[in-house]
Each structure stands twice: as structure tokens, then as C-alpha cells.
Amino acid sequence: MVKATFSLDDETMARLRRTAERLGKAQSHVVREAVAEYATRADRLSEGERAHLLGVLDALAGRPAGRTARDVDVEIRAVRAARRRGGRRSA
């Protein structure tokens, strides 16, 4: 466990105390749980980011293919063969 010092405004501290009291947990435990939950949410895309990325995908999906299916198959076979040989690491 690592001890840390944080400055919290009065309202946040009051919420922390009320929550810890109501849950019957130590304030430090409530803070650990809150940080873990916040980190999980922060890793997700925001609604704006999600909408932007979906727009980019829609734009790409609407474009005509730049290569034929045959060209793609040839490239995939070449990549697979290179992987079997060890890629760039082999002599």
C-alpha cells in the first residue's frame, strides 16, 4: 500500500465521508473503488469519439475498392509465407 496526500474540496470530502459511512467501508477503500471505476470508464470512447470513428468507417466503406480481390489474395499469401519463414528476423 502506498500513502498519498490529496486536496479535496469540502463538498467532495463530505460526499466521500457520507459514502464511506453508508457503505460501512473505509474512506480509502471508497477512493480506491472510485478510481478503479473511473479508470474503466476513461478507457472507453466518448459518444463524440464513437460517432467520429463510425463516420470515418462509413466514409471508407462507401469508397470503391482500390485493389482487386486477386491482388489482396496475392498479398495475403505473401504475408503468410513471410511469417512462416520468420519474417524480417530470419537471414
Side-chain angles (χ1 to χ4, degrees), residues 51-65:
H52 171 72
L53 290 175
L54 288 173
V56 169
L57 288 175
D58 286 343
L60 288 173
R63 296 167 109 187

Side-chain angles (χ1 to χ4, degrees), residues 13-41:
M13 197 62 219
R15 278 192 218 136
L16 175 59
R17 287 184 177 127
R18 282 192 309 267
T19 302
E21 178 71 27
R22 184 171 45 83
L23 297 176
K25 296 180 179 182
Q27 291 175 25
S28 59
H29 187 80
V30 173
V31 170
R32 283 193 298 275
E33 287 181 342
V35 169
E37 184 177 327
Y38 186 85
T40 300
R41 282 189 285 135

Side-chain angles (χ1 to χ4, degrees), residues 1-20:
M1 228 17 112
V2 175
K3 286 194 175 239
T5 302
F6 296 94
S7 298
L8 301 173
D9 59 79
D10 292 335
E11 179 58 32
T12 301
M13 197 62 219
R15 278 192 218 136
L16 175 59
R17 287 184 177 127
R18 282 192 309 267
T19 302

